Amino acid sequence: PQWIELADRWIATLERVLSALRPRVEHIGSTAVPGLIAKPVIDLQVSVPDIEDEVAYRPALESLGLVLRAREPGHRYFRPPAGQPRTVHVHVCELGSTWERDHLDFRDRLRARPELAAAYTELKRRLAATVGADREAYTKGKSDFVRRILDSADRPT
């Protein structure tokens, strides 16, 4: 319940500081799925009209103490600076993009199908036990499961 409350506070703040863009702000990731095990960090997705127009959103996010940590095609990743508590990760993507849709679809499928959430929990536990703190290996270990869910036949287009 605290994750949802924290996410709601962050969402309200992000919507306020980015109000000129009218972004879509969503709680994504494991903390957005009730009952799913998760690291104590919420992931938020901010969908903006133009991902390349960083001037439109980056200063606002930096005003909240967030730092741009990664710039990838179609995705920007912000978090608190090194040495500060990390309670939030902010992912910026473009409205209507594959990045936006995939993350929302995956979250929604886990919310709707407890057996998928349970299988994902088991995979996450197994990976945590085998790869430990190696974030890259942990993320890579989840990718086949995520892709299978997203590629399933009942996915809306």
Side-chain angles (χ1 to χ4, degrees):
Q2 293 87 0
W3 288 330
I4 293 168
E5 292 169 16
L6 180 60
D8 287 346
R9 284 196 301 270
W10 268 100
I11 288 169
T13 299
L14 290 165
E15 289 174 339
R16 181 178 46 79
V17 301
L18 296 168
S19 62
L21 291 177
R22 300 178 62 186
R24 178 180 185 175
V25 185
E26 295 275 347
H27 184 191
I28 61 169
S30 295
T31 60
V33 180
L36 193 62
I37 63 167
K39 62 188 179 300
V41 178
I42 60 168
D43 287 283
L44 299 174
Q45 178 172 280
V46 177
S47 303
V48 297
D50 182 1
I51 188 74
E52 299 300 326
D53 186 11
E54 289 184 16
V55 171
Y57 59 85
R58 185 175 175 180
L61 296 178
E62 289 173 341
S63 78
L64 300 175
L66 300 171
V67 176
L68 177 63
R69 296 291 295 167
R71 182 182 286 119
E72 303 167 340
H75 173 243
R76 305 297 185 266
Y77 166 61
F78 292 81
R79 70 171 201 208
Q84 297 293 317
R86 277 194 243 159
T87 58
V88 66
H89 293 164
V90 175
H91 304 271
V92 180
C93 64
E94 195 158 298
L95 282 164
S97 67
T98 300
W99 208 97
E100 177 190 45
R101 188 177 60 249
D102 283 352
H103 287 80
L104 296 176
D105 284 354
F106 186 72
R107 177 203 64 192
D108 293 347
R109 283 171 181 259
L110 293 183
R111 284 177 171 174
R113 297 189 47 201
E115 73 280 5
L116 290 179
Y120 191 50
T121 292
E122 182 53 37
L123 172 63
K124 290 173 62 151
R125 283 192 172 127
R126 196 169 51 253
L127 287 168
T130 58
V131 301
D134 184 343
R135 284 183 187 255
E136 190 173 321
Y138 181 78
T139 299
K140 187 176 180 182
K142 297 186 301 182
S143 64
D144 285 343
F145 181 91
V146 171
R147 185 60 24 213
R148 225 176 19 258
I149 298 305
L150 292 175
D151 289 345
S152 65
D154 62 333
R155 181 177 178 176
T157 55

